[in-house]
Amino acid sequence: MIKIPALRLRAKLVLIFVAIKVLPLVLLAALAWSAAHRLGHALGQRAAVMADNMAGSIREVGDKATQDAIVALDDRSREAIERLTTDTALAVAAFLHERDRDLQAAALLEPNEAGYRNFLRHRTRDYYRHGEWKLKADGSGWEPAVPHSPDPASIARAGEALPDNAKSFHARPPEYRGERSERPLYLEMSFIGLDGQEKLRIVDGEVMRPGLRNVSRRENTFVRAETFWPELRRLRPGEIYVSEVIGAYVGSHVIGPYTPQAAEKAGIAFEPQKSAYAGTENPLGQRFRGIVRWAMPVVRSGRITGYVSLALDHDHLRQFTERILPTEARYTPIIDAIGGNYAFMWDHKSRAIAHPRDYMIVGYDPASGEQVPPWLDEELYGEWKASGQPWAEFSAGIKPFRDQSLKRRPAAAMLTAGMLGLDCRYLNFSPQCAGWNQLTEQGGSGSFEIFFTGLQKLTTAAAIPYYTGQYADSPRGFGFITIGANVDDFHRAATDSARQIGLTIEQKNEAFRKERQDMLQMVENSMQRMTVELASSTFVMVLLVIGIAFWMASFLAGHIGALVEGIRRFASGDRKQRFDVRSRDEMGDLARALNSMAETVDDSFLRSEEARQRAEDASRMKSDFLASVSHELRTPLNGILGFADLLAMDLKDVEQRDQALTIRNSGKHLLGVVNDLLDLAKIESGKMTVHAEPIDLPAFVADVVRGHRAHAAGKGLELLLDMARQGPLPVLESDALRLRQILNNLINNAIKYTDHGQVSVQLEAEGTDLVFQVRDTGCGIAAEDQEAIFDRFGGVGSKVQRDKGGSGLGLSLVRKLAGLLGGRVSLVSEPGRGSLFTLRIPLQPRADEGTLGDGAGPEPSGSDSDK
Ligand code: ADP
């Protein structure tokens, strides 16, 4: 149990109110707050998860769509580029076949200059050349001097299409391949005698030196590299000889854009014109000029009279690959190797014969007529150098396409030397060579993807189905076309839309993040608002509740206090006190009940007051009566006693004298009774007062005892006085008259009710009290009578006692007198053995002992009983 300190009703009520009202209120508010807080938090979390999921789904769908689109676009692009490759190869083959036709026609001509010139005049073809290019101002690359942009008027406008054609109406400007010119197909046309000596020769002086030569000697041939004479000799009528591509190698010490910076890095002077042409990388460079030679016997009357030869300008062959772009642009006036989107051509031995970078086209050293060694990987280059053999000799003995891998590194020394011709058979750091070889060696085509020079490239290959002369020996034919395409470009649309989707998601995410932030902020704000509102409303309610509690407590406590105050006033004597009852509630009932109780109490009080008054009146009348009767009795009694004494003295006759003495004794007894009655009446009517004075105890007590000696002696009893066994007695301040009355009564009784033995009086001080003891060896008093004897007329009604002449007033008076002196009387007795009466009175009168003052009341009656 909890110990609750004593609290006033008001405090208790307030506490109870707080406990039953305020605590639940605060608890409820706290609960509401925490629930709302959790809700807000959960809401924010959920929203975030939902948004994340949504964004995730969109991203997933976007990724999937993008992936699918990429695959689809890649497939479509691959298909288109493979098709472009094959079509290009077919076009090349057709072009080459046309040259066969030209040669056959030429073989029919009479070998004379006019005829040959006439022949050549009609053998021309469109040739496209890009405009002028210049170094960028910052020297970081090259740019067209005048950028080309299509004339908008040349594009059919979709808006003008017939409604029937308007759907997906898509128009392109005229294809721009560069500045068109018409160029002769052949750089040379000659008639060679059976001894190898040219009889007739028409040349383009720009590439070839004019003049008749004996071609049976290699040093007289184009770049001293042609070895066709022995082949020609073996030709039968109608058979055609077609050479490989022959031209002087043009090298470069720079791969990539030929810029002043690149030249400096390569340690050469910036002379772009002296380095090989490389499309956008070096548009000013020196071009590879080569030929493909056709020749066949001229037959007259079934006899070979000589050989007609046509040297095809290699530039026309290059046109097939140089202008195509495997992108949306389709054609380019200038080829660009950097973007990775370009086409090239390889001969039947897998040597580059058309390439955006001219230094990659294999060629011959015009000084020696030997093929310039192609670009090798480090390992093969090392082996070659170690062999000490010339390239031609060394290369004849090695396996082509040996362990080609992207892991191999190109020979740096060859880059420094500027020998970068591509012979796929030995280009071992470029494994796509083996791939192309694999795709085309049986005349087929196809593609694969490879990561090369930093680009993910689709690379296609298609054999050129031209099978004239030496090319008839190879299923591949003349060689093959390859197109490299930057795969990223195919699906740029898809990646663009993927990027767009990503961007959108990012934006949406950002927007959502903001929304969420706003929402959380909103939740936070409303939480704060709610907290403040909740707290203030709770506070107000708490104040209200406490106020009500105080009011109620004050109301109740006030009412109860008023009732208590009223009852107290009533109790302290204001019996007219009544409550002003106004309310009809329980408090009102209580007040009414208290009023009616007060009414009843007042009533009985009045009655008892009347009764008391009556009793007091009666008692006073009785006492007055007793007093006056006693007084009236004493006068005649004293007369009777006086005359009885006189009579006893005068009478000589013993019997008569005894009778007179009997009268005197009876009178004396009666006087004692009257005195006792008078004293009792005085005490009971409150008229008896005591007068304290210093008492000389030894003298006083000896005197009292002395008065009883005769009586004791008369009965043959021993009367002993034992004073202050422990030392001198202190001074007693009391009413000597009343004390004497008490002691006389007690000693008198002791002697009276003792027939044998002794009566002893003993006194001693005990603390602040003086103790008198009157002991006898008399008849004693039965236990059941020990209280009754102190009542008025409480004489124990035995015959013996009555015989002793007792009135039954003595002890009653003793007790009352002892009370007046501030003391008390007690009794210890055993029938047959004796009694001990003990009087105990204070040595000094007590201050509160109103009746024991210094005689403020009426004088003592002076009645001294001396029985
Ligand atoms: P009485 O005038 O009869 O003595 P008391 O009031 O003095 O009246 O005594 C009352 C009664 O107490 C006596 O009647 C007596 O029976 C008894 N009593 C008093 N003192 C003694 C005593 N010392 N021994 C025996 N009985 C006593």
Side-chain angles (χ1 to χ4, degrees):
M1 277 289 284
I2 307 164
K3 256 206 139 166
I4 301 171
L7 289 170
R8 303 287 298 166
L9 178 67
R10 184 194 309 253
K12 279 180 186 165
L13 279 172
V14 170
L15 277 183
I16 289 169
F17 256 88
V18 167
I20 63 172
K21 286 275 175 208
V22 176
L23 290 186
L25 209 65
V26 170
L27 211 68
L28 215 66
L31 270 175
W33 184 86
S34 107
H37 191 80
R38 275 204 306 277
L39 183 73
H41 191 68
L43 215 66
Q45 292 281 325
R46 273 300 160 89
V49 168
M50 254 163 64
D52 283 353
N53 282 347
M54 216 139 79
S57 306
I58 294 172
R59 193 173 292 120
E60 216 169 277
V61 169
D63 284 354
K64 178 90 181 80
T66 307
Q67 270 317 311
D68 288 354
I70 285 174
V71 169
L73 285 172
D74 285 357
D75 279 355
R76 224 197 62 186
S77 304
R78 193 198 65 229
E79 192 53 49
I81 293 168
E82 280 186 15
R83 176 70 185 264
L84 178 65
T85 314
T86 306
D87 286 352
T88 306
L90 288 175
V92 170
F95 173 74
L96 294 173
H97 274 296
E98 275 171 33
R99 305 293 72 78
D100 292 352
R101 302 287 96 77
D102 279 349
L103 183 70
Q104 286 159 343
L108 297 175
L109 288 177
E110 279 311 312
N112 60 62
E113 191 169 341
Y116 274 20
R117 283 199 187 279
N118 192 41
F119 176 86
L120 288 176
R121 191 178 303 127
H122 301 295
R123 299 302 189 282
T124 59
R125 200 162 196 269
D126 284 349
Y127 184 82
Y128 294 90
R129 177 191 290 281
H130 59 76
E132 209 178 304
W133 275 56
K134 62 178 173 48
L135 194 66
K136 284 182 188 166
D138 60 359
S140 65
W142 300 86
E143 62 186 3
V146 186
H148 169 81
S149 51
D151 176 7
S154 66
I155 309 170
R157 276 177 288 276
E160 290 171 6
L162 287 174
D164 291 348
N165 306 329
K167 193 175 170 202
S168 297
F169 187 89
H170 178 231
R172 291 175 62 94
E175 303 299 345
Y176 179 71
R177 276 176 273 191
E179 292 159 21
R180 191 178 68 87
S181 63
E182 211 177 293
R183 267 174 62 170
L185 275 169
Y186 302 104
L187 293 174
E188 180 197 73
M189 185 176 183
S190 58
F191 179 74
I192 307 161
L194 293 174
D195 55 355
Q197 180 60 45
E198 290 170 340
K199 302 284 192 267
L200 181 62
R201 183 163 175 255
I202 294 162
V203 294
D204 177 300
E206 191 199 326
V207 184
M208 297 197 172
R209 260 176 304 163
L212 299 173
R213 311 156 305 175
N214 188 328
V215 294
S216 67
R217 301 233 311 269
R218 197 178 134 186
E219 62 267 27
N220 293 332
T221 60
F222 184 56
V223 294
R224 296 174 182 245
E226 292 185 283
T227 52
F228 59 87
W229 181 245
E231 310 277 335
L232 288 192
R233 298 291 291 160
R234 282 199 288 277
L235 290 177
R236 290 194 293 268
E239 282 183 338
I240 297 175
Y241 163 85
V242 189
S243 76
E244 292 160 358
V245 173
I246 293 164
Y249 178 72
V250 283
S252 173
H253 297 280
V254 172
I255 296 184
Y258 190 103
T259 57
Q261 206 186 348
E264 194 189 322
K265 208 174 145 199
I268 54 168
F270 177 67
E271 292 169 317
Q273 294 88 346
K274 288 195 178 163
S275 188
Y277 174 87
T280 56
E281 291 175 340
N282 183 6
L284 270 51
Q286 188 191 342
R287 301 218 57 154
F288 171 87
R289 294 309 307 263
I291 58 161
V292 179
R293 184 174 296 281
W294 268 260
M296 72 182 293
V298 175
V299 180
R300 292 285 179 271
S301 317
R303 201 170 56 85
I304 295 174
T305 57
Y307 303 91
V308 66
S309 169
L310 287 168
L312 174 73
D313 187 344
H314 169 259
D315 276 354
H316 286 295
L317 204 56
R318 286 184 71 172
Q319 291 270 302
F320 285 95
T321 53
E322 217 168 29
R323 308 269 173 241
I324 55 175
L325 264 186
T327 66
E328 227 181 323
R330 292 188 191 172
Y331 299 103
T332 174
I334 181 164
I335 197 157
D336 173 22
I338 302 168
N341 292 308
Y342 54 89
F344 25 56
M345 202 185 305
W346 308 80
D347 72 5
H348 65 141
K349 288 178 178 159
S350 293
R351 294 179 299 186
I353 53 173
H355 197 281
R357 292 159 170 163
D358 281 22
Y359 50 84
M360 290 194 160
I361 299 171
V362 292
Y364 295 83
D365 179 1
S368 65
E370 291 299 320
Q371 191 188 321
V372 174
W375 203 5
L376 304 173
D377 67 290
E378 288 284 7
E379 190 185 314
L380 190 58
Y381 178 75
E383 286 174 28
W384 170 46
K385 282 289 146 193
S387 74
Q389 294 172 325
W391 168 249
E393 209 174 304
F394 175 77
S395 61
I398 55 170
K399 190 169 165 267
F401 307 105
R402 200 185 71 180
D403 301 332
Q404 297 198 333
S405 163
L406 283 174
K407 292 194 187 83
R408 295 187 176 279
R409 300 264 63 86
M414 302 196 81
L415 173 61
T416 315
M419 294 193 293
L420 303 169
L422 304 184
D423 188 332
C424 248
R425 295 170 296 181
Y426 313 113
L427 199 63
N428 292 340
F429 57 84
S430 176
Q432 56 269 54
C433 285
W436 295 326
N437 189 54
Q438 186 188 350
L439 287 171
T440 56
E441 64 187 348
Q442 297 305 320
S445 66
S447 66
F448 54 91
E449 271 185 32
I450 191 159
F451 189 77
F452 198 70
T453 59
L455 296 169
Q456 184 67 25
K457 273 184 164 180
L458 175 80
T459 182
T460 60
I464 301 167
Y466 172 72
Y467 303 108
T468 304
Q470 61 174 317
Y471 301 107
D473 298 338
S474 155
R476 177 185 282 152
F478 182 76
F480 57 93
I481 303 286
T482 64
I483 294 180
N486 187 351
V487 170
D488 290 346
D489 287 346
F490 303 166
H491 50 243
R492 184 139 290 147
T495 46
D496 279 355
S497 45
R499 197 176 313 114
Q500 202 53 51
I501 288 170
L503 221 65
T504 310
I505 289 172
E506 214 32 69
Q507 283 167 353
K508 288 270 180 265
N509 262 349
E510 194 45 54
F512 174 72
R513 260 198 293 280
K514 216 186 134 342
E515 286 271 314
R516 180 164 170 253
Q517 209 53 49
D518 288 355
M519 196 189 75
L520 285 178
Q521 192 55 53
M522 205 184 73
V523 169
E524 185 67 28
N525 288 348
S526 72
M527 284 299 303
Q528 269 171 12
R529 219 170 30 244
M530 197 187 73
T531 306
V532 169
E533 283 170 5
L534 217 56
S536 51
S537 68
T538 306
F539 182 69
V540 167
M541 279 199 278
V542 165
L543 281 186
L544 217 67
V545 165
I546 289 177
I548 290 172
F550 263 105
W551 176 75
M552 281 196 70
S554 299
F555 177 79
L556 284 175
H559 273 66
I560 290 170
L563 289 178
V564 167
E565 178 56 30
I567 290 169
R568 192 176 291 135
R569 278 220 299 279
F570 189 85
S572 63
D574 181 6
R575 297 214 310 279
K576 291 290 150 256
Q577 156 68 29
R578 294 294 182 276
F579 299 109
D580 181 13
V581 183
R582 271 181 232 149
S583 66
R584 307 174 61 81
D585 56 11
E586 284 80 354
M587 293 305 294
D589 290 349
L590 182 62
R592 260 191 296 278
L594 282 171
N595 277 349
S596 82
M597 196 181 77
E599 222 45 81
T600 314
V601 169
D602 195 23
D603 218 37
S604 46
F605 203 86
L606 270 178
R607 273 202 298 275
S608 77
E609 185 74 356
E610 281 167 18
R612 189 178 65 83
Q613 202 60 50
R614 273 199 303 275
E616 272 181 0
D617 288 353
S619 167
R620 199 177 311 115
M621 275 167 72
K622 182 197 77 185
S623 296
D624 288 355
F625 172 73
L626 268 177
S628 55
V629 165
S630 303
H631 189 71
E632 292 305 319
L633 281 176
R634 275 205 307 190
T635 314
L637 260 179
N638 282 325
I640 291 170
L641 281 175
F643 283 108
D645 270 342
L646 285 178
L647 248 166
M649 278 190 288
D650 289 349
L651 285 172
K652 304 292 182 223
D653 183 47
V654 174
E655 197 179 333
Q656 283 180 335
R657 201 173 57 228
D658 282 351
Q659 285 168 341
L661 278 174
T662 304
I663 293 169
R664 194 198 64 163
N665 287 344
S666 298
K668 254 187 166 177
H669 177 70
L670 190 60
L671 185 62
V673 171
V674 168
N675 280 337
D676 284 353
L677 272 174
L678 194 61
D679 282 347
L680 275 171
K682 265 189 189 168
I683 292 171
E684 279 168 16
S685 62
K687 285 179 179 161
M688 169 83 76
T689 54
V690 287
H691 181 69
E693 60 187 341
I695 299 172
D696 177 12
L697 273 174
F700 173 78
V701 179
D703 188 43
V704 171
V705 171
R706 195 179 303 124
H708 294 279
R709 291 222 181 270
H711 185 198
K715 285 190 79 181
L717 299 173
E718 208 177 344
L719 179 58
L720 302 171
L721 174 60
D722 179 2
M723 268 190 290
R725 276 181 294 181
Q726 289 106 9
L729 286 166
V731 174
L732 170 71
E733 227 177 289
S734 194
D735 189 321
L737 183 62
R738 300 303 163 200
L739 185 57
R740 183 184 292 269
Q741 242 180 309
I742 295 169
L743 291 174
N744 277 338
N745 260 305
L746 292 177
I747 298 168
N748 189 46
N749 274 356
I751 296 169
K752 193 162 47 174
Y753 295 107
T754 305
D755 292 332
H756 310 286
Q758 60 178 40
V759 170
S760 67
V761 177
Q762 214 176 356
L763 72 158
E764 60 186 12
E766 221 181 84
T768 56
D769 290 341
L770 189 68
V771 180
F772 293 87
Q773 290 188 319
V774 180
R775 199 186 302 265
D776 65 56
T777 53
C779 59
I781 304 157
E784 64 266 25
D785 297 330
Q786 287 182 8
E787 188 52 41
I789 57 167
F790 288 99
D791 290 340
R792 220 190 295 166
F793 306 111
V796 178
S798 79
K799 192 175 175 295
V800 184
Q801 285 162 334
R802 224 175 286 115
D803 288 349
K804 309 276 177 187
S807 64
L809 289 175
L811 286 179
S812 171
L813 190 62
V814 163
R815 174 172 275 185
K816 286 206 160 65
L817 286 172
L820 272 177
L821 296 184
R824 60 193 162 84
V825 178
S826 57
L827 165 62
V828 178
S829 181
E830 207 180 314
R833 297 199 60 169
S835 308
L836 169 61
F837 283 88
T838 303
L839 168 68
R840 183 181 289 270
I841 53 168
L843 283 169
Q844 296 286 320
R846 291 208 179 98
D848 57 347
E849 222 67 62
T851 47
L852 199 61
D854 38 11
E859 279 301 299
S861 69
S863 67
D864 44 345
S865 157
D866 50 347
K867 318 184 224 186

